[in-house]
Amino acid sequence: MKLMRYNHILKINIISYILFFLSFFTVFFSGKIVSKEIKIGTSIPLTGQFSNIGKYYHDAYKFTIDKINESGGVKVNNSFKKLSLKLYDNQSNIGINKCQYIKLITEDNINFLLGPFLNNFILNNSFISEKYKTIIMQSCGISNQILSNNFKYVFGLFIPAKNYFQDTIEILKKMKIKNEKIVFLYVNDAFHSAIANGVSLIFKKFNLNKIINKNYSLNTIDFTSLIAQIKNINAKIIFFSGYETNIINFIRQIKIFKIKPMFFSLTSDLLNKNIRNLLKNENNYTYGITPWLPNFNFKDRWFSNAKNFSNEYKKKFGYYPDYHSIFAVIDIESLVYAIEKSNDLNPLKVKKQLKKLNFNSIYGKITFNKNNKMIISQNVIKIQNNKLVPANS
């Protein structure tokens, strides 16, 4: 009996030693431990002045990763790995954001990065990803600095700022409104200044003159002095370029002044529930811009189609997704497709496959050009009878 027990223990020890040496040789020859998960890292604003938009990325990143993991995960070398997300709150502070991205790479040992959404943040993180040769998937980088740099590890969806209001101004031109005064207001940061430069060129092209063309500080809460100028000249056409909080404050205050434009255009996509609630009864003159609408019947591997995604998202978070949410989904899906195609987590191999991507998503067909960018266009939408419809319908 003792001999049998001894032999049993001996077998267990031999098996343990074999497993140990196998893992040792795997590490020795591959140069790294084979992980059971794929580590993705990001830093987004969950607090501070950009937290309202950061929430979309937070929710969509988690939602997409959970969905992919529930379906089995990511297939690599004939086995399935789960995605894990290391997410930091950068508190809307670019310095904190920079430190967190370096930490994600050097301390947390993530495999891939997901970006934030603000141009100056994205530019900072792009230099970090290049330095450490770590792939970063990012959305909404539209400044010329990001577009013109030949970043090799940065992949993303880009909306060129100079074209932001192109289609909206074309609609205004077709309306043949004569002798009306036009107001254009914008945040004095790099993103909105680039939009403003583009707008100036487009207005010039269509022989339209801006009577008031002014920028305002990102932290502006009180717009009454600008609104008083609008009311004083009785301007009926207003273009307003800003972030969600800026737009909300401006709309509230023009309502107090009882200003009713005949044409009111915003950089918002109007899917935002906070903005929509303010514009509930403001029909037939309010226009927005969006690269995505939920009624598009685009097919998707994990979410079936765009409409299904939108409904599932609403059920989970209590609000409908906007384009920020969609871009967050595409960032992760693109990575997963590239990892599976390369059958490896090696950044050089994954990078090579990202350049070859061609798949269907809730946004539509996803491909990247030779500069690792997918240039996307805007759709103009308007509020009509309290519903969002394409402006050309």
Side-chain angles (χ1 to χ4, degrees):
M1 188 72 178
K2 287 183 179 180
L3 182 62
M4 288 177 65
R5 185 181 297 173
Y6 173 79
N7 288 336
H8 179 68
I9 293 171
L10 182 63
K11 284 180 181 179
I12 292 174
N13 287 336
I14 290 171
I15 291 170
S16 298
Y17 281 120
I18 290 170
L19 290 173
F20 170 78
F21 281 111
L22 280 173
S23 63
F24 171 79
F25 282 114
T26 300
V27 173
F28 180 81
F29 287 110
S30 68
K32 58 183 178 182
I33 297 174
V34 179
S35 173
K36 293 182 179 179
E37 62 182 11
I38 300 169
K39 299 177 183 179
I40 301 176
T42 188
S43 165
I44 53 177
L46 299 179
T47 55
Q49 65 188 122
F50 301 117
S51 59
N52 47 1
I53 302 177
K55 175 180 170 56
Y56 302 138
Y57 285 89
H58 171 274
D59 293 348
Y61 281 154
K62 285 183 170 291
F63 187 47
T64 308
I65 285 173
D66 287 346
K67 192 76 171 179
I68 292 171
N69 284 341
E70 286 166 12
S71 72
V74 185
K75 191 175 182 181
V76 185
N77 283 325
N78 297 317
S79 65
F80 286 88
K81 294 178 182 289
K82 295 296 177 74
L83 297 171
S84 68
L85 180 65
K86 184 70 175 180
L87 189 149
Y88 289 112
D89 173 17
N90 62 38
Q91 303 170 45
S92 302
N93 183 298
I94 193 169
I96 293 174
N97 176 80
K98 181 178 179 180
C99 292
Q100 288 172 340
Y101 270 91
I102 293 172
K103 184 181 180 184
L104 283 165
I105 298 170
T106 60
E107 295 183 29
D108 298 323
N109 298 312
I110 54 87
N111 299 107
F112 306 100
L113 290 167
L114 299 173
F117 57 90
L118 294 157
N119 281 273
N120 51 346
F121 284 60
I122 291 171
L123 185 61
N124 237 328
N125 298 331
S126 297
F127 285 114
I128 293 170
S129 70
E130 291 293 299
K131 177 181 178 180
Y132 291 98
K133 294 181 171 53
T134 304
I135 292 171
I136 182 169
M137 304 298 303
Q138 65 83 29
S139 304
C140 286
I142 60 178
S143 76
N144 291 333
Q145 289 173 297
I146 298 169
L147 289 171
S148 60
N149 263 295
N150 187 27
F151 292 124
K152 292 180 172 57
Y153 287 84
V154 181
F155 289 78
L157 313 179
F158 293 82
I159 310 172
K162 64 179 182 179
N163 300 330
Y164 231 69
F165 280 112
Q166 170 82 39
D167 293 339
T168 313
I169 297 172
E170 286 184 7
I171 290 170
L172 174 64
K173 181 67 175 176
K174 287 176 184 176
M175 292 170 69
K176 296 181 179 179
I177 300 171
K178 294 182 179 179
N179 302 320
E180 283 297 340
K181 294 158 184 164
I182 301 174
V183 172
F184 181 73
L185 305 175
Y186 62 96
V187 177
N188 62 354
D189 65 2
F191 166 31
H192 294 276
S193 294
I195 291 177
N197 291 335
V199 165
S200 293
L201 293 173
I202 299 166
F203 273 130
K204 186 176 181 180
K205 174 184 173 183
F206 291 132
N207 296 315
L208 296 168
N209 296 315
K210 300 187 295 296
I211 303 302
I212 296 179
N213 179 34
K214 290 194 174 181
N215 61 49
Y216 59 89
S217 167
L218 175 65
N219 300 315
T220 299
I221 297 173
D222 185 358
F223 289 95
T224 53
S225 63
L226 288 171
I227 293 172
Q229 293 178 57
I230 294 170
K231 191 172 180 68
N232 186 50
I233 65 171
N234 196 27
K236 295 294 184 182
I237 300 172
I238 302 173
F239 286 81
F240 189 88
S241 185
Y243 297 105
E244 181 181 326
T245 304
N246 307 132
I247 292 170
I248 288 171
N249 286 328
F250 184 76
I251 293 172
R252 283 175 177 160
Q253 290 167 44
I254 63 170
K255 280 174 169 284
I256 293 171
F257 277 77
K258 296 182 179 179
I259 292 175
K260 290 245 179 190
M262 66 190 317
F263 193 96
F264 185 30
S265 181
L266 305 166
T267 43
S268 166
D269 65 0
L270 301 182
L271 293 171
N272 181 294
K273 67 175 182 178
N274 299 319
I275 294 172
R276 280 292 304 282
N277 287 339
L278 283 173
L279 296 167
K280 191 173 289 184
N281 298 312
E282 310 303 322
N283 277 315
N284 306 327
Y285 68 79
T286 305
Y287 294 77
I289 312 168
T290 183
W292 179 83
L293 281 172
N295 61 347
F296 289 171
N297 195 30
F298 294 133
K299 301 298 181 183
D300 187 273
R301 173 178 164 186
W302 290 279
F303 297 104
S304 179
N305 56 56
K307 188 175 181 181
N308 185 61
F309 166 80
S310 187
N311 291 335
E312 281 189 38
Y313 192 97
K314 170 69 162 59
K315 185 177 180 181
K316 185 173 181 66
F317 299 111
Y319 67 93
Y320 284 108
D322 75 346
Y323 71 89
H324 293 289
S325 310
I326 304 308
F327 289 172
V329 173
I330 295 169
D331 284 347
I332 295 171
E333 287 191 358
S334 297
L335 258 182
V336 171
Y337 272 106
I339 291 168
E340 289 185 335
K341 288 284 185 182
S342 63
N343 205 29
D344 205 303
L345 299 184
N346 183 297
L348 290 176
K349 292 181 180 180
V350 175
K351 184 159 68 80
K352 185 178 179 180
Q353 291 302 324
L354 278 168
K355 289 175 175 289
K356 297 178 181 179
L357 279 187
N358 189 333
F359 70 93
N360 293 316
S361 75
I362 52 176
Y363 177 74
K365 188 74 72 178
I366 301 300
T367 59
F368 296 99
N369 63 22
K370 64 180 181 179
N371 297 317
N372 304 345
K373 301 171 181 67
M374 179 177 172
I375 307 297
I376 58 181
S377 58
Q378 295 277 28
N379 302 287
V380 184
I381 52 177
K382 66 179 178 180
I383 300 175
Q384 186 169 295
N385 301 322
N386 282 326
K387 292 181 179 179
L388 285 182
V389 298
N392 291 315
S393 65

